[in-house]
Amino acid sequence: MAARPDYYKALGVDKKASQDEIKKAYRKLAREYHPDRNPGDEKAEARFKEISAAYDTLGDPEKRKQYDRGAGPFGGAGPANPFGGGGGFDTSGFGDILSDLFGRATGGGGGGGRGPTREQPGRDVETEVRLSFDQAIEGAQVPLQVATSQPCPTCRGTGAKPGTAPKVCPVCHGRGIESEGQGLFSISQPCSNCGGSGTVIEDPCPTCNGAGMVRTVKRLRVNIPAGVREGSRVRLAGKGEPGDLYVITHVDPSRIFKRKGDNLEVEVPLTIPEAIRGATVEVPTLHGSKKLRVPAGTKHGTVQRLRGEGPRKLDGKGTADIHYRFVIDVPSSLNKEQEQAVEGLAEVMNGNPRAKLFAGRS
Ligand SMILES: [Zn+2]
Ligand SMILES: [Zn+2]
């Protein structure tokens, strides 16, 4: 019987780490040891499995609580418990025992269905994808590789070598808990021999080393909706099997269009005469170009917008806008002719626009 794995050590985090810290640690390690990055490296693969198993439990606050209380690794011999409900591990009762002992509020009072090993709630899977700016605007179908855990095909999820079966734990007789003391004041804790599962595997399955689950990399093609941006979290229902798949999008920036919330912004340079006299200028849109009327006397930084020309909104409420910010293009060098023209301008536009800065403070 393998010892109960130390999931905190596997992720290199403190026992008091926040869910966020755990997630960060997991992501960093998962990236480092991902099979795609380490083809043929068995050590990396083993480490990847270890990290994934640790995150399966610690990444889920409920499972983590149960793990902290001392329940065994999850997703182990659970699905194929050969003992039915018979001598099973009454988790809700067990939770109550613990909360009585430690004054912990376990919540849900009497509500069943909190069992750690018997139930396999849909596990959500999260992954990341990089998109070009155009893909993010238009939507895209992208290939993805997702690591998921599935019942081991060799042992069908029992964790026992084919031809053998998990045995009732001789220490706790399948109850999963051990009691010390007597009568009213006995103290119960998860069985030290079986980790609380109530069963022991004498001949572990060679494929999954007794875990009952194997990590597999699934190749999928997924549809990323139009309008995602850097850091969008797209939910693809059911693709995580059995849970949902969440895809975090990373989007390459565009040279022209900058994201401003739902909208896009484009900087449009104007020449000095255009700003002074007004002009009709051509500006880029997502699907071509449009003409914008720039009024005479347009100031640096003025914004005009084209409604509905922006990307699709992710909440499905129509399309966003493009904002055009006019910036006055001041040349850094002039030819002779231009210099003369500017000189002429200086002669006729010779007022002091700063006068009012000194006309009293109120
Ligand atoms: Zn197996
Ligand atoms: Zn036991």
Side-chain angles (χ1 to χ4, degrees):
M1 181 68 205
R4 181 169 172 276
D6 186 339
Y7 288 150
Y8 289 100
K9 207 170 136 203
L11 291 180
V13 295
D14 192 77
K15 287 209 162 58
K16 290 187 186 114
S18 69
Q19 288 304 120
D20 221 42
E21 285 165 341
I22 286 173
K23 193 169 173 183
K24 272 193 198 135
Y26 164 69
R27 279 209 192 148
K28 188 164 163 278
L29 291 169
R31 236 176 259 149
E32 191 176 338
Y33 291 101
H34 196 281
D36 289 349
R37 274 211 173 172
N38 306 276
D41 182 344
E42 281 178 17
K43 263 191 192 158
E45 196 186 325
R47 181 85 175 97
F48 184 70
K49 282 179 185 166
E50 183 188 36
I51 298 159
S52 304
Y55 186 66
D56 271 351
T57 295
L58 299 188
D60 179 326
E62 195 58 33
K63 285 188 200 163
R64 181 184 177 189
K65 240 186 265 170
Q66 284 156 353
Y67 175 81
D68 288 346
R69 282 182 210 144
F74 305 112
N81 170 27
F83 309 106
F89 175 32
D90 180 356
T91 46
S92 56
F94 181 53
D96 289 344
I97 293 168
L98 277 183
S99 67
D100 287 347
L101 272 180
F102 300 116
R104 240 185 243 151
T106 48
R114 294 165 60 86
T117 54
R118 298 295 179 253
E119 283 189 355
Q120 292 256 314
R123 265 183 218 154
D124 293 336
V125 180
E126 194 176 280
T127 188
E128 300 180 30
V129 71
R130 178 155 284 287
L131 303 168
S132 72
F133 180 79
D134 286 345
Q135 285 180 312
I137 295 296
E138 305 291 344
Q141 195 183 64
V142 295
L144 269 189
Q145 299 192 353
V146 183
T148 60
S149 67
Q150 299 189 318
C152 169
T154 307
C155 62
R156 298 209 173 82
T158 65
K161 193 169 163 185
T164 72
K167 301 219 159 45
V168 179
C169 171
V171 173
C172 63
H173 306 289
R175 294 178 63 229
I177 51 175
E178 280 180 290
S179 300
E180 276 170 34
Q182 283 170 353
L184 278 177
F185 299 101
S186 70
I187 291 177
S188 298
Q189 43 186 211
C191 173
S192 58
N193 188 45
C194 64
S197 67
T199 61
V200 289
I201 294 164
E202 284 173 348
D203 284 314
C205 162
T207 305
C208 62
N209 294 323
M213 301 292 277
V214 287
R215 301 296 292 190
T216 52
V217 175
K218 250 198 322 188
R219 285 162 217 282
L220 301 170
R221 292 194 75 84
V222 300
N223 291 311
I224 304 293
V228 295
R229 66 185 86 156
E230 176 62 33
S232 293
R233 193 164 186 261
V234 180
R235 177 171 165 263
L236 297 155
K239 291 274 192 184
E241 269 175 77
D244 295 333
L245 171 63
Y246 286 90
V247 180
I248 311 289
T249 55
H250 296 290
V251 179
D252 291 336
S254 156
R255 206 167 42 80
I256 296 162
F257 299 99
K258 306 261 173 297
R259 273 279 190 178
K260 293 275 150 143
D262 280 342
N263 305 310
L264 295 177
E265 189 177 274
V266 179
E267 240 179 44
V268 181
L270 297 178
T271 65
I272 295 170
E274 281 171 338
I276 293 173
R277 294 194 295 194
T280 299
V281 298
E282 191 177 14
V283 294
T285 63
L286 289 175
H287 306 109
S289 68
K290 288 231 155 157
K291 296 245 156 81
L292 275 190
R293 177 76 210 136
V294 181
T298 290
K299 291 187 162 50
H300 185 90
T302 304
V303 172
Q304 267 193 45
R305 64 182 160 193
L306 286 179
R307 285 183 195 277
E309 287 289 334
R312 209 177 306 161
K313 291 186 188 171
L314 273 183
D315 61 9
K317 291 183 184 142
T319 48
D321 308 331
I322 303 184
H323 293 191
Y324 295 92
R325 177 180 296 275
F326 296 117
V327 294
I328 294 169
D329 194 34
V330 180
S332 46
S333 68
L334 299 173
N335 63 28
K336 257 226 157 89
E337 225 176 328
Q338 290 166 334
E339 217 165 279
Q340 274 170 10
V342 171
E343 222 153 87
L345 189 64
E347 262 165 41
V348 291
M349 290 184 80
N350 54 4
N352 182 359
R354 292 167 297 282
K356 61 185 172 211
L357 295 179
F358 302 96
R361 304 243 166 138
S362 55

